[in-house]
Amino acid sequence: VARSRTMKSPKPRLHIVQDMDNQGRFKSQQANAMFADGRAMRPPVAGTVAREMLREDETFYRGIAGSDYVTELPVTVNMDLLQRGKQRFEIYCSPCHGLAGYGDGIVARRADRLQQGTWVPPSSLHAAPASTRPPGHIFNTITNGIRTMPAYGSQIPVEDRWAIVAYTQVLRRSQQADLSDVPPAVRSSLR
């Protein structure tokens, strides 16, 4: 054993404890005499659900109602949700889209400075077509990606994706607001 640690050999190493590394297996549709029905492939156990398939609410888990994207958020919008959405937006989205959503994040600015010609600038959330997309489409974009934007569905939980969608609506509204959107008591303090 000590010699084999220091010497090179074309032969495979001695594998004393197998730890299930080498085990017999059956190919699909192969017979197996161990079971009464003679099949190696076992049918699914009654009542089991495949992983990630218990999500029956397509509106919440996919952002879809029927065959269309949802136009209303399927979550209760409150200050906690918006603050969570802002936090998640700043972590996942702002590096490319910028803190205000104009597509001027730190990654986008650096790519512009490098001038390599391969960078596709991120979309501004305030310009068409992104500004006119329904919440379900934005949710789907975060989940599955779109064009050069990668998918974040495996990194961001469903609840946080909806929080980000709610926050993007707040960003849009903040950039398209007029004086009538401001409460009368606060209008006098504006410039």
Side-chain angles (χ1 to χ4, degrees), residues 82-184:
L82 294 176
Q83 287 173 345
R84 179 71 175 180
K86 179 180 188 287
Q87 179 194 42
R88 298 287 111 182
F89 181 88
E90 289 175 355
I91 292 170
Y92 293 103
C93 310
S94 71
C96 292
H97 292 283
L99 290 172
Y102 283 104
D104 59 351
I106 192 168
V107 172
R109 286 182 287 172
R110 183 167 192 284
D112 286 340
R113 274 195 319 269
L114 292 175
Q115 300 256 336
Q116 292 182 338
T118 58
W119 175 252
V120 177
S123 299
S124 169
L125 303 177
H126 308 294
S131 65
T132 58
R133 291 192 173 130
H137 192 287
I138 302 297
F139 178 85
N140 183 61
T141 299
I142 296 168
T143 305
N144 301 310
I146 191 169
R147 289 180 293 282
T148 56
M149 180 182 150
Y152 286 91
S154 62
Q155 294 174 289
I156 306 173
V158 175
E159 296 81 7
D160 286 349
R161 282 181 256 159
W162 282 117
I164 291 170
V165 171
Y167 182 69
T168 60
Q169 290 187 327
V170 168
L171 278 179
R172 284 186 206 161
R173 181 68 186 257
S174 72
Q175 301 303 305
Q176 299 168 359
D178 59 12
L179 193 58
S180 65
D181 293 325
V182 179

Side-chain angles (χ1 to χ4, degrees), residues 59-95:
T59 303
F60 183 73
Y61 288 102
R62 295 187 57 217
I64 296 173
S67 61
D68 297 324
Y69 292 116
V70 296
T71 56
E72 298 291 324
L73 294 172
V75 293
T76 302
V77 179
N78 55 33
M79 200 54 150
D80 289 338
L81 181 81
L82 294 176
Q83 287 173 345
R84 179 71 175 180
K86 179 180 188 287
Q87 179 194 42
R88 298 287 111 182
F89 181 88
E90 289 175 355
I91 292 170
Y92 293 103
C93 310
S94 71

